[in-house]
Amino acid sequence: MRAPDTSAWAPLAARVFRALWIAQLVSNTGSWMQTVGAQWLLVGHSASLVTLVQTAASLPVVLLALPSGVLADRYDRRTVLLAAQFAMLAVSGVLTVLAFQEALTPYLLLALTFLLGCGTALMGPAWQAIQPELVEREQLGQAAALGAVNMNLARAVGPAVGGLVVAAAGAGWVFAFNALSYLGIAAVLLLWRRPVAPRPAGRGEGLLAAVQAGRRYVRHAPGVRRVLLRTALFIPGGAAMWSLLPLVASRSLGLGSGGYGLLLGVVGIGAVGGAFALPAIRRALGANGILAAGAAVFAVTLVVLATVRIPWLAAAALLPAGLAWIGVLSTLNAAVQQRLPGWVRARGLAVYLVVFQGGQALTAPLWGLLADRLGLTGALLLGGALLLAGALCVRRWPLYATDAAGPSLSDHWPAPPLVFEPGPDDGPVLVSVTYRVAPEDRAAFTGAMRHVARSRRRTGALTWGLYQDGADPGRFVENYLVASWSEHLAQHHGRLTATDRRFEEDARRLLVPGTAPEVTHAFDAATGPVAAGGGP
């Protein structure tokens, strides 16, 4: 079998990925043009008000990403993406009309930016979740890097063009271009013949139960949690540059909107150039090396921005910052993609987006306040110190190695041997598994079962426990409680992965030879199927 192409641009050979990438580039360019227009309309106000543009755009992700992830896991992701595109088109249309009528007050601008952020929040989990459908698993790292290249190409072009358009014709025209830019992605999605996906496991669960299932999965997935920790350690310091760069351009460097756009363009050029170097850098440094080096480079950039007053020196510092940004983000994005199974992928990615976008939304106004209190230089130096601390702690809290088995589904549990057919909502269900373990293997067995415990909780168990029989020390009983029969069937036929199977096999290799686990399923005697007349 031919090995998959691992070059930086390999995912672009996939037709749908390529078409969506081009359409996304146009849309991202429009978004960056609008960001420059919105921020520049507020530059004459306080630093806090300027940084609120980023908060208004990012805060909806914190509030809506998890519900959006539920929608993307339960319904057709293509339909969810189309709904997001048309909603953002409508909001951008209103923003354009108000700008041309000169009726756009600062707070109305922030409110409409917030509504656009709601569309981004609806789109984000579904967009991330379809990536494994578009490229091979081995190319997810390159696909994530190309996504960052896309954003940074737009950052290289959009702000510069947006700044020139704002200076020459006013902000209304950049808002108008952004409104039209959503039509490209919508057209590609309408033409995409997406294969019919299998019915998602647990689709009948309510919204709150589905959100809780996503949180439960992330809570009991150490690899995903570590990605979230590394994201949380990088984003607050990284957000300082994006939040304060308009003020650096206008106050420290004496530039206008066009100059600010060019500074953002330099970051984009650095990111695009970095995409060519990333495969070699990844081979040389590994994922954790990229995280440490990227944070250190970003810290140096903030120190330069805090201390220099010469535009070309500031621009020179922003060039490697683009490489650092794309390196860190593509590494984190690929790491979380590779650890999530399909049934909960959008919800897991939604949690990642909450940490990523929420970190920017929550820290952006803080950087504005710090700039007002400590001065621009003090705020930038503090951001650099946070990034340096994050770089130094990579050795202490590195990303875990990706399991070679990956999140592929494994339908290895046999059908439960029951004498009656429970209803989907019958529950809770107490599942008991009895094991026989030799004395010399008992310590190793209890250690192996810790991985099994996480597997049970990730896939639906509300409680879990492992007990040793006081009268027969070689007999161990595993008990776990699932909310309903449909939840337990989802464990059987849609939630377990090859990794979960490996954990079970590791524990079962320690059983007494010739014995096998004995599984029973018990229902609440007062409200279960027997009490309702469903039993024999």
Side-chain angles (χ1 to χ4, degrees), residues 410-422 431 485 488-493 496 517-521 523:
S410 177
D411 193 1
H412 61 277
W413 281 6
L418 304 181
V419 298
F420 56 82
E421 183 62 31
V431 183
W485 184 242
H488 185 55
L489 288 181
Q491 288 182 305
H492 273 263
H493 305 298
L496 294 174
E518 298 177 5
V519 184
T520 62
H521 300 79
F523 297 81

Side-chain angles (χ1 to χ4, degrees), residues 93-458:
V94 172
L95 184 60
T96 301
V97 170
L98 291 174
F100 279 126
Q101 292 180 345
E102 298 184 355
L104 200 57
T105 65
Y107 293 105
L108 187 55
L109 172 61
L110 292 173
L112 290 170
T113 302
F114 179 85
L115 289 178
L116 283 174
C118 292
T120 302
L122 177 62
M123 177 183 174
W127 184 271
Q128 295 287 344
I130 66 170
Q131 301 306 304
E133 301 178 38
L134 305 178
V135 301
E136 299 178 44
R137 181 173 183 265
E138 293 79 4
Q139 294 178 345
L140 283 174
Q142 296 98 298
L146 284 172
V149 166
N150 191 302
M151 177 61 74
N152 285 283
L153 268 175
R155 184 182 283 123
V157 176
V161 175
L164 293 173
V165 171
V166 169
W173 288 104
V174 298
F175 298 153
F177 180 86
N178 185 52
L180 294 175
S181 71
Y182 296 115
L183 294 175
I185 293 178
V188 176
L189 291 171
L190 287 169
L191 294 172
W192 178 25
R193 297 184 181 275
R194 184 179 184 233
V196 178
R199 177 185 172 90
R203 183 171 177 172
E205 62 192 347
L207 175 62
L208 292 179
V211 169
Q212 184 58 34
R215 288 175 175 169
R216 183 171 58 236
Y217 186 93
V218 170
R219 178 183 177 187
H220 297 288
V224 176
R225 291 204 318 271
R226 183 53 59 87
V227 175
L228 298 180
L229 174 62
R230 295 306 328 168
T231 305
L233 289 171
F234 176 76
I235 288 302
M241 190 189 82
W242 303 117
S243 303
L244 300 176
L245 193 58
L247 302 176
V248 171
S250 61
R251 298 181 184 179
S252 299
L253 304 177
L255 301 175
S257 62
Y260 168 53
L262 289 174
L263 290 180
L264 287 175
V266 170
V267 182
I269 292 170
V272 174
F276 290 95
L278 264 183
I281 295 173
R282 190 175 289 114
R283 287 191 295 269
L285 300 180
N288 290 302
I290 289 176
L291 295 182
V297 169
F298 228 73
V300 172
T301 298
L302 290 186
V303 172
V304 172
L305 293 179
T307 55
V308 306
R309 298 295 179 266
I310 303 173
W312 71 265
L313 283 178
L318 290 171
L319 199 63
L323 169 60
W325 184 259
I326 191 177
V328 172
L329 263 60
S330 64
T331 298
L332 294 171
N333 188 282
V336 74
Q337 288 270 13
Q338 291 169 350
R339 288 165 170 80
L340 291 168
W343 71 271
V344 75
R345 181 178 296 128
R347 278 168 283 183
L349 287 164
V351 176
Y352 166 73
L353 290 173
V354 166
V355 176
F356 174 68
Q357 297 278 16
Q360 297 185 76
L362 296 176
T363 57
L366 293 179
W367 290 120
L369 290 173
L370 287 170
D372 286 335
R373 297 287 180 87
L374 304 178
L376 195 53
T377 297
L380 289 166
L381 290 176
L382 180 58
L386 288 177
L387 285 164
L388 186 58
L392 293 174
C393 72
V394 168
R395 184 181 292 273
R396 175 66 180 84
W397 295 308
L399 293 180
Y400 297 132
T402 305
D403 193 325
S408 57
L409 293 181
S410 177
D411 193 1
H412 61 277
W413 281 6
L418 304 181
V419 298
F420 56 82
E421 183 62 31
D425 298 326
D426 286 334
V429 182
L430 178 65
V431 183
S432 299
V433 189
T434 303
Y435 306 92
R436 303 292 307 186
V437 185
E440 64 272 15
D441 292 323
R442 289 171 191 168
F445 175 75
T446 56
M449 288 298 289
R450 283 195 287 269
H451 294 291
V452 175
R454 293 194 189 101
S455 168
R456 306 289 197 237
R457 292 181 184 274
R458 279 196 299 268

